[in-house]
């Protein structure tokens, strides 16, 4: 089962140092939120579509939308960029906004088997992470280990 830890970092360079650290963002102090069984390239684009109200194609076309920053030839783990749009939306989302986004995320089918409780818990944790990142002027990334 793949592991995906969403985390904040000041910039791409700092985020790219994470895969070289044993244990990923948990060991580097990058404020991670653990997601299990998630393909971040697909799931984060669908999550972005859910929280922003845009289509999957539009979310995937945004700069850094699910973009793998680390060199794929280096092998896993990888670092995937999350656009600033979902960071801002999640940072300012209320409970009703998160509940609606969780329902839309589940309906997208990615990740498969996402329950209402799991989707809501993940969005609440990601919203808290996004608020801290916003307040510190940091960006969001995902560390992905297959």
């Amino acid at each position: 089962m793949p592991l995906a830890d969403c985390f904040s970092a000041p910039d791409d360079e700092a985020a790219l140092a994470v895969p070289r650290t044993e244990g990923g963002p948990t060991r580097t102090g990058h404020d991670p939120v653990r997601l299990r069984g998630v393909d971040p390239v697909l799931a984060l684009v669908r999550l972005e579509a859910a929280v922003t109200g845009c289509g999957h194609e539009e979310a995937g076309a945004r700069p850094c939308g699910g973009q793998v920053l680390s060199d794929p030839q280096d092998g896993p783990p990888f670092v995937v960029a999350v656009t600033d749009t979902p960071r801002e939306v999640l940072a300012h989302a209320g409970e009703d906004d998160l509940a609606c986004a969780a329902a839309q995320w589940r309906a997208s089918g990615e990740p498969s088997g996402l329950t209402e409780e799991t989707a809501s818990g993940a969005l609440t944790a990601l919203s808290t992470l996004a608020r801290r990142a916003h307040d510190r002027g940091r960006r969001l990334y995902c560390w992905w280990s297959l």
Side-chain angles (χ1 to χ4, degrees), residues 45-136:
V45 166
R46 292 197 176 178
L47 173 60
E48 180 170 342
V51 299
T52 63
C54 71
H56 300 138
E57 296 80 19
E58 181 182 342
R62 290 184 176 152
C64 297
Q67 178 185 5
V68 178
L69 296 178
S70 53
D71 187 344
Q73 292 183 359
D74 291 342
F78 304 106
V79 171
V80 178
V82 179
T83 66
D84 291 337
T85 303
R87 182 200 66 186
E88 290 304 303
V89 171
L90 285 167
H92 297 95
E95 287 183 36
D96 290 343
D97 300 321
L98 293 175
C100 182
Q104 291 175 12
W105 192 26
R106 286 184 53 233
S108 77
E110 184 60 41
S112 63
L114 193 63
T115 66
E116 182 178 341
E117 183 179 337
T118 304
S120 294
L123 281 181
T124 298
L126 289 170
S127 178
T128 301
L129 173 63
R131 277 189 207 101
R132 289 191 300 259
H134 170 81
D135 292 347
R136 297 175 183 156

Side-chain angles (χ1 to χ4, degrees), residues 7-20 28 30 79 138 141:
F7 66 97
S8 68
D11 54 36
D12 291 355
E13 186 177 328
L16 285 170
V18 172
R20 296 185 294 271
T28 61
H30 280 90
V79 171
R138 297 167 71 105
Y141 300 89

